[in-house]
Amino acid sequence: MPHIMEVDVAIIGAGTAGLNALRQIKAAGQSFVLIERGELGTMCARTGCIPSKAVLHASEIMRSWAEAEGAGPVGRVTENANRLWRAARATRDESARGMAKETLELAGERLIRGDARVVGPTDIQVDGRLIRARAIVIATGSAAVVPDKWKALGNGILTTDSLFDLDTLPATMGLVGLGAIGLEMGVALSRLGVRVTGADQSNVVGGISDPTIADVARQHFEHDMTMWLGESVDIERNSAGRFELVSGGPSPGRTEVECVLVALGRHSSLPELELHNAGIEVDQHGNVPFDPQTMRIGDSNFYLAGDVSSARPLQHEAADEGSIAGWNAVAHESNVGFRRRVPLSIAFTDPDFAAVGCAFDKLAAGTLVAEGSADTNARSSIAGQNDNVVRLYVEPGSGRLLGAALFAGAGEHLAHLLAWAVQRGDTVAELLRVPFYHPTVEEIIQTALHDAASKLNFPRRLDLASSGHQ
Ligand SMILES: Cc1cc2nc3c(=O)[nH]c(=O)nc-3n(C[C@H](O)[C@H](O)[C@H](O)COP(=O)(O)OP(=O)(O)OC[C@H]3O[C@@H](n4cnc5c(N)ncnc54)[C@H](O)[C@@H]3O)c2cc1C
């Protein structure tokens, strides 16, 4: 019988979610272990948010150079691009090192390195060690989806887990999957001078549910890279050992590429944990029912946090879910339900695309859709951002803002303003009274609000509240 280590809370996974859970448990002074089988430093810092945005930043610099000086000789372009790529990697390395250090400081000797498996309702096994915990937070994240037959093609089949380890940029790259992450990387790489051929079996890029925004995004990014849309593709190795992206769609074609980035999404790591040993069944998609307000799985001892639940696979949501799970693991007998923040997702493709609040495909029938665009926006004209567009979803009776979608330069900032307005429950009338500076992209929101006001049949209007004086 191995020695059993007993703690109040065991956390599996030292990513964003696990670390936020840990902060709650430490603040409550409870005993804990933090179990991690991979490299420290979190996915966000090592292979997710930080490197992807660092590479997008590099690609922005490259684009500005090209605009200022013209493309320049190929050799110099490649040299500059590789220098920027290495700078992005250095940013990533520094960020990951910082997170790894923070993890060690937070967990101290309570960090256990190894692969955890659930062996009972309160028990976890880590490479032969047995840990018993009153409550267990599962924060084990996700893994990139790569079909086995593509994995078998060997080096050169990349995911975002391996992309940022490339020392130099390839001249050509295939990209399978044009969701938000695929699109971000395709745009970044092509602006860094890589010839990218991107493919997706859907006709919609970026997973954008608003059809107007989806159309604008597709048309815009077709200028950045070749896109094969609405066609399933295969990857093959030709007789010269090079990769070929092969279209099986209506316009059959093949193109030779140096490597292929597979961006087909990520699957939960939950099935690996053998939760059935605790009487919890995980479905074929790797999901298990849980309460998103408490993060608890039924009335079990287990809490989910972060990408492992597949519900809101974003960094700020992983942080929230870790905090909620940690809070409730501490107060295991008296869970608290927490209100979740308004949904907010942003792709940093410059122009960015973003969705806020209720998604277009979830809107109730009769929801009013209002629009503002670059057509009447001076700042968009100045910046040459003629595709900028903001769409607002408004509740007809109350005039309350329910959600929004947009495609715009500096769209990340517009998306935040709109998310804050949705969460506050602001109405069109209230939002029309806040200041809009001229000339700014924010004025597109003002135009969209005016459109909403006219569709709401507001009477003769002045966008200022009365001071009360006669
Ligand atoms: C390319 C890319 C770009 C992204 N960009 C953004 C962005 O711009 N903004 C944003 O909000 N989100 C972004 N995301 C998503 C964001 O990175 C994730 O939502 C977040 O990092 C998830 O954190 P997590 O704690 O759930 O998982 P992770 O950080 O993956 O942590 C899970 C940990 O569990 C460990 N583990 C797994 N199984 C076991 C086991 N059995 N035993 C022990 N340890 C185990 C793993 O090794 C891992 O360290 C991006 C993701 C990707 C891939």
Side-chain angles (χ1 to χ4, degrees), residues 187-465:
V187 162
L189 289 163
S190 76
R191 289 177 189 165
L192 283 165
V194 179
R195 253 182 304 117
V196 178
T197 304
D200 200 300
Q201 60 186 11
S202 166
N203 277 309
V204 175
V205 296
I208 304 170
S209 74
D210 185 305
T212 301
I213 304 297
D215 278 353
V216 172
R218 182 177 44 74
Q219 284 164 27
H220 188 95
F221 296 127
E222 266 169 355
H223 297 293
D224 281 288
M225 65 182 118
T226 304
M227 286 196 200
W228 296 351
L229 294 176
E231 304 181 12
S232 66
V233 289
D234 200 1
I235 310 169
E236 293 174 2
R237 272 214 197 245
N238 61 24
S239 52
R242 308 253 306 172
F243 293 105
E244 284 190 5
L245 208 59
V246 184
S247 158
S251 53
R254 54 173 68 220
T255 187
E256 197 179 86
V257 287
E258 266 178 58
C259 49
V260 183
L261 175 63
V262 180
L264 293 176
R266 300 180 66 88
H267 61 75
S268 165
S269 59
L270 205 52
E272 290 177 54
L273 286 171
E274 300 177 7
L275 265 169
H276 56 87
N277 290 325
I280 298 170
E281 291 310 321
V282 176
D283 75 16
Q284 56 185 23
H285 306 295
N287 296 324
V288 74
F290 69 99
D291 179 342
Q293 258 114 44
T294 62
M295 299 312 294
R296 190 170 183 173
I297 303 177
D299 59 359
S300 75
N301 300 318
F302 292 86
Y303 296 82
L304 289 183
D307 285 11
V308 69
S309 82
S310 307
R312 295 183 173 207
L314 294 167
Q315 199 271 357
H316 68 284
E317 299 285 3
D320 278 353
E321 291 179 0
S323 301
I324 296 172
W327 181 285
N328 281 323
V330 166
H332 188 44
E333 309 309 328
S334 50
N335 283 176
V336 176
F338 290 89
R339 275 178 60 189
R340 302 299 298 267
R341 294 176 218 260
V342 155
L344 167 62
S345 62
I346 302 169
F348 298 81
T349 38
D350 192 28
D352 306 335
F353 59 92
V356 167
C358 188
F360 183 87
D361 53 2
K362 300 274 180 333
L363 292 174
T367 303
L368 193 153
V369 180
E371 193 172 302
S373 75
D375 292 352
T376 51
N377 183 254
R379 190 58 177 269
S380 301
S381 307
I382 294 164
Q385 291 169 345
N386 301 322
D387 292 335
N388 286 352
V389 55
V390 173
R391 305 240 300 162
L392 304 180
Y393 313 142
V394 179
E395 196 173 55
S398 63
R400 199 163 58 91
L401 187 63
L402 302 174
L406 60 90
F407 183 88
E412 59 178 296
H413 305 300
L414 303 191
H416 274 87
L417 297 179
L418 290 166
W420 298 344
V422 172
Q423 184 154 326
R424 282 193 303 260
D426 289 352
T427 63
V428 168
E430 284 161 343
L431 286 167
L432 276 169
R433 289 187 201 127
V434 303
F436 287 91
Y437 204 81
H438 178 73
T440 59
V441 234
E442 280 75 2
E443 287 173 298
I444 301 181
I445 297 179
Q446 192 181 35
T447 308
L449 289 166
H450 282 149
D451 184 37
S454 94
K455 287 175 174 158
L456 286 164
N457 295 321
F458 279 9
R460 174 169 169 254
R461 211 190 58 232
L462 203 164
D463 299 332
L464 295 168

